[in-house]
């Protein structure tokens, strides 16, 4: 059987049209940033669960929450909501600007609502009468051959390194908020939602697990509740002790939202957060800078967070697991593809 040149050309043309059709269908199946709603159903469900659990604990513990400390949260949330409505109905703004600004404002509202809810939940759980887990966590470190004291001594005798670690540790909260804003400005709406989801999921799991492993943490366990340690301007890793002990001993625990510290020891959410930042910016032009900051911040956690190494390992593993599983959802298909036009 012979084929003419014309038939070959026709066949090639048909194949080309089929490939174009397949590509078009594949492209249409891939969710775009404009098609992904924020905050999304998963975020809403998770926040609802967190709010319900926090409410139940509130009526069980019956703490004293200074309502005046909620005012800044209320002002930030209400201002962002008002601006979002204004921008939505302001036709003079370009569509891209309007869309991104609304995402920024909704994101800030969501972040502050989640922050307040989980911080109250964390403090309520620390008022429960579970036994201190320091000796257990320290034994896990030792069973893995991890020498916390040797690392502390190394940092203590290298002041420049200690200063870098301290700055990274303190900068984590700001970096997380700026990370979300940067993703929006760069046009990554799906990444911004993904970033919020993995933060909320991981924070909720860390806080829940930590309820069963309350601890004074490594610095206090090894040195006592000190105010000074040689080599540091102030003793690192002890910032939480006053609030932690008050919650465990006071007849009526009190919570000050403006001064509330994170009290979860195992797993470490700071360590988890460094991994979440890396996943949020993977394959963007900021990825290497974020990786450098995150690695430095994670290295600071045993000293300035006062964590055991096992806390860091558990937080890291949890963050990787949550990030990978969430990225496998259909709405995030192609999330980590290279897209040079986007950055």
């Amino acid at each position: 059987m012979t084929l003419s040149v014309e038939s070959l050309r026709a066949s090639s043309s048909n194949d080309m049209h089929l490939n174009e059709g397949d590509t078009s269908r594949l492209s249409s199946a891939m969710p775009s940033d404009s098609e992904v709603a924020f905050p999304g159903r998963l975020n809403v469900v998770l926040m609802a669960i967190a709010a319900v659990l926090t409410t139940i604990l509130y009526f069980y513990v019956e703490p004293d929450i200074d309502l005046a400390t909620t005012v800044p949260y209320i002002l930030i949330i209400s201002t962002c909501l008002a601006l979002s409505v204004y921008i939505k109905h302001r036709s003079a703004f370009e569509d891209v600007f309007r869309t991104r600004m609304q995402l920024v404002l909704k994101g800030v509202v969501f972040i502050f609502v989640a922050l307040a809810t989980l911080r109250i939940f964390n403090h309520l759980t620390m008022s429960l009468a579970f036994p201190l887990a320091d000796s257990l966590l320290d034994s896990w470190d030792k069973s893995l051959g991890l020498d916390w004291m040797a690392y502390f001594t190394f940092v203590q005798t290298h002041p420049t390194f200690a200063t870098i670690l301290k700055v990274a540790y303190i900068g984590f909260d700001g970096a997380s908020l700026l990370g979300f804003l940067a993703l929006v400005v760069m046009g990554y709406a799906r990444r911004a939602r993904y970033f919020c989801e993995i933060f909320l999921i991981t924070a909720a799991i860390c806080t829940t697990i930590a309820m069963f492993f309350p601890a004074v943490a490594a610095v206090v366990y090894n040195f006592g509740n000190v105010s000074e340690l040689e080599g540091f301007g102030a003793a690192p890793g002890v910032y939480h002790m006053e609030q932690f002990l008050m919650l465990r001993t006071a007849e009526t625990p009190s919570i000050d939202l403006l001064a509330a510290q994170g009290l979860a020891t195992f797993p470490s959410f700071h360590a988890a957060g460094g991994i979440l930042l890396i996943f949020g910016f993977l394959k963007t032009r900021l990825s290497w800078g974020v990786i450098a900051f995150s690695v430095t911040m994670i290295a600071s956690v045993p000293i300035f967070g006062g964590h055991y190494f096992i806390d860091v390992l558990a937080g890291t593993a949890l963050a990787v697991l949550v990030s990978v599983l969430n990225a496998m959802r259909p709405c995030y298909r192609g999330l980590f593809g290279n897209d040079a036009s986007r950055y």
Side-chain angles (χ1 to χ4, degrees), residues 56-261:
I56 293 171
L57 269 178
Y58 174 83
F59 286 108
Y60 177 76
V61 176
E62 297 184 337
D64 178 20
I65 298 180
D66 186 355
L67 294 180
T69 65
T70 66
V71 172
Y73 285 84
I74 294 172
L75 287 175
I76 291 171
I77 291 169
S78 58
T79 300
C80 288
L81 288 174
L83 285 173
S84 178
V85 172
Y86 171 74
I87 291 172
K88 180 179 180 180
H89 294 92
R90 181 73 175 179
S91 58
F93 294 131
E94 294 183 0
D95 289 342
V96 172
F97 174 81
R98 186 187 298 115
T99 300
R100 292 186 183 180
M101 280 303 300
Q102 282 188 290
L103 179 54
V104 166
L105 294 169
K106 288 179 181 178
V108 172
V109 168
F110 177 82
I111 289 168
F112 274 86
V113 169
L115 177 63
T117 303
L118 290 175
R119 189 53 52 88
I120 292 172
F121 179 73
N122 182 212
H123 278 236
L124 291 174
T125 60
M126 288 299 109
S127 68
L128 302 177
F130 289 102
L132 292 176
D134 290 276
S135 59
L136 176 64
L137 299 175
D138 182 63
S139 69
W140 286 350
D141 268 11
K142 288 181 170 60
S143 67
L144 294 172
L146 300 171
D147 192 337
W148 183 90
M149 187 61 74
Y151 183 61
F152 184 91
T153 302
F154 174 81
V155 175
Q156 186 178 33
T157 54
H158 293 79
T160 301
F161 184 50
T163 300
I164 293 171
L165 294 184
K166 182 178 181 179
V167 170
Y169 187 84
I170 294 173
F172 170 66
D173 289 340
S176 301
L177 179 58
L178 288 175
F180 171 80
L181 298 178
L183 289 171
V184 175
V185 170
M186 294 164 69
Y188 287 106
R190 282 199 301 155
R191 276 182 182 264
R193 193 180 85 172
Y194 168 81
F195 190 57
C196 281
E197 284 176 352
I198 59 178
F199 254 82
L200 178 56
I201 295 169
T202 306
I205 294 175
C206 279
T207 306
T208 303
I209 294 175
M211 172 172 56
F212 303 102
F213 296 90
V216 297
V219 173
V220 177
Y221 183 71
N222 283 284
F223 294 103
N225 192 12
V226 295
S227 59
E228 293 183 11
L229 281 172
E230 186 178 347
F232 301 95
V238 300
Y239 61 88
H240 64 294
M241 279 303 297
E242 182 179 353
Q243 293 179 15
F244 179 75
L245 293 177
M246 182 277 297
L247 288 168
R248 289 181 63 85
T249 59
E251 183 176 344
T252 303
S254 62
I255 300 174
D256 179 343
L257 266 178
L258 293 182
Q261 302 286 349

